[in-house]
């Protein structure tokens, strides 16, 4: 395979195997620390195998010659997310320590701001790395929303499901696949989702405040997605009108907020 045949370059597939091994080690540590139950073990194993398979396939299709330091940070974060996933699955059968779940999640959220900076400083930014980072973020939000939903109601799952609903909708409406312009507001809202969900599920706040915190997270996300969908729709209409009139029409400006 071309990715593995370059002299002096560490095979990228080896990195995924190391990540899978680290994930199994974390599951073993969680099991010995508090007694991870069958649901936690099964979910953790599925996460490990599925994550290894998806990442390996993505690397096979990419031109990357080495995994890179930024992707290693993201891989470490994915390992923590796998631990959080196992603990959340186990929470439906037992009561894993909230402090442990909060600690793993907090470190994963902090590292979310590290891999991008590492990629830029080392000149190793790549499309597969950006996608890897995004998928880890999205899955962590989904898992946290499931955890908080068990306490506050099924509506909280909408927070984690919204990105996947957007992807599904894009298969029906191709205009949703167009690239979006950079947005500080979008990045801020995305970062706040994990923080607000962690706060709502950490039991640090008085009970009555947890639901409003989750509601704020959902409202911000609806606003952000709505803003992007509106821009994409206006953009698609502008391109359709240009094709009909054979006169190039300006793409609608992105809202100045962020």
């Amino acid at each position: 395979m071309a990715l593995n045949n370059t002299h002096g370059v560490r095979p990228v597939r080896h990195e995924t195997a190391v990540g899978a091994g680290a994930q199994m080690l974390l599951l073993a540590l969680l099991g010995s620390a508090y007694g991870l139950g069958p649901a936690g073990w099964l979910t953790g194993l599925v996460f490990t195998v599925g994550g290894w398979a998806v990442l390996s396939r993505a690397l096979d299709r990419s031109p990357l010659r080495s995994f890179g330091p930024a992707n290693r940070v993201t891989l470490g974060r994915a390992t923590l997310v796998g631990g959080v996933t196992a603990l959340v699955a186990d929470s439906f059968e037992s009561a894993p320590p909230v402090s442990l779940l909060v600690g793993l999640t907090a470190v994963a959220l902090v590292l979310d701001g590290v891999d991008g900076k590492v990629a830029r400083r080392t000149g190793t930014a790549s499309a597969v790395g950006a996608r890897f980072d995004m998928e880890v973020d999205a899955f962590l939000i989904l898992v946290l929303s499931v955890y908080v939903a068990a306490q506050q109601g099924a509506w909280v799952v909408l927070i984690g499901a919204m990105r996947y609903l957007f992807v599904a909708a894009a298969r029906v409406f191709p205009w949703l696949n167009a690239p979006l312009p950079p947005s500080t507001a979008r990045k801020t809202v995305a970062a706040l989702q994990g923080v607000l969900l962690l706060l709502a599920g950490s039991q640090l706040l008085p009970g009555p405040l947890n639901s409003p915190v989750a509601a704020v997270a959902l409202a911000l996300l609806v606003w952000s997605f709505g803003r992007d969908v509106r821009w994409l729709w206006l953009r698609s209409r502008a391109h359709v009108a240009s094709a009909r009139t054979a006169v190039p029409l300006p793409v609608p400006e992105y809202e100045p907020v962020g």
Side-chain angles (χ1 to χ4, degrees):
M1 185 175 68
L3 287 173
N4 291 339
N5 289 335
T6 303
H7 179 70
V9 177
R10 191 178 188 183
V12 294
R13 287 291 296 270
H14 177 67
E15 303 279 356
T16 62
V18 172
Q23 186 69 78
M24 292 301 300
L25 178 60
L26 178 58
L27 292 176
L29 290 174
L30 292 176
S32 62
Y34 97 95
L36 199 63
W41 271 108
L42 179 59
T43 305
L45 290 173
V46 170
F47 179 91
T48 302
V49 174
W52 173 83
V54 171
L55 181 58
S56 295
R57 184 178 182 185
L59 290 173
D60 285 345
R61 294 182 172 184
S62 78
L64 287 182
R65 293 161 61 90
S66 65
F67 200 63
N71 286 335
R72 293 189 185 103
V73 175
T74 308
L75 186 60
R77 191 155 54 86
T79 301
L80 296 175
V81 172
V84 173
T85 302
L87 290 174
V88 170
D90 212 47
S91 69
F92 289 93
E93 294 184 345
S94 61
V98 175
S99 58
L100 182 58
L101 191 149
V102 169
L104 291 177
T105 304
V107 175
L109 291 174
V110 170
L111 289 177
D112 186 26
V114 174
D115 46 12
K117 293 180 180 179
V118 171
R120 289 188 293 271
R121 290 181 180 179
T122 59
T124 55
S126 65
V128 68
R131 181 65 181 271
F132 184 25
D133 176 61
M134 180 177 64
E135 295 299 339
V136 172
D137 291 344
F139 195 79
L140 176 59
I141 298 304
L142 176 61
V143 171
L144 289 177
S145 68
V146 170
Y147 180 68
V148 177
Q151 307 167 22
Q152 306 300 328
W155 61 271
V156 183
V157 177
L158 286 172
I159 297 174
M162 197 168 299
R163 189 256 172 182
Y164 297 99
L165 291 174
F166 180 86
V167 172
R171 293 182 176 272
V172 181
F173 306 104
W175 51 268
L176 289 172
N177 289 308
L180 286 162
S183 170
T184 301
R186 186 191 309 120
K187 293 180 180 179
T188 301
V189 169
L192 282 174
Q193 297 306 303
V195 175
L196 292 175
L197 284 172
L198 181 60
L199 190 60
S202 65
Q203 301 178 7
L204 294 175
L205 297 175
L209 294 181
N210 291 321
S211 185
V213 167
V216 169
L218 179 58
L220 288 172
L221 199 60
V222 169
W223 171 80
S224 181
F225 269 96
R227 176 175 178 248
D228 287 344
V229 170
R230 177 179 179 274
W231 185 86
L232 289 169
W233 181 76
L234 291 175
R235 177 185 180 279
S236 70
R237 298 287 293 178
H239 282 296
V240 169
S242 297
R244 288 176 177 175
T245 62
V247 176
L249 297 179
V251 175
E253 293 186 4
Y254 204 68
E255 294 179 26
V257 181

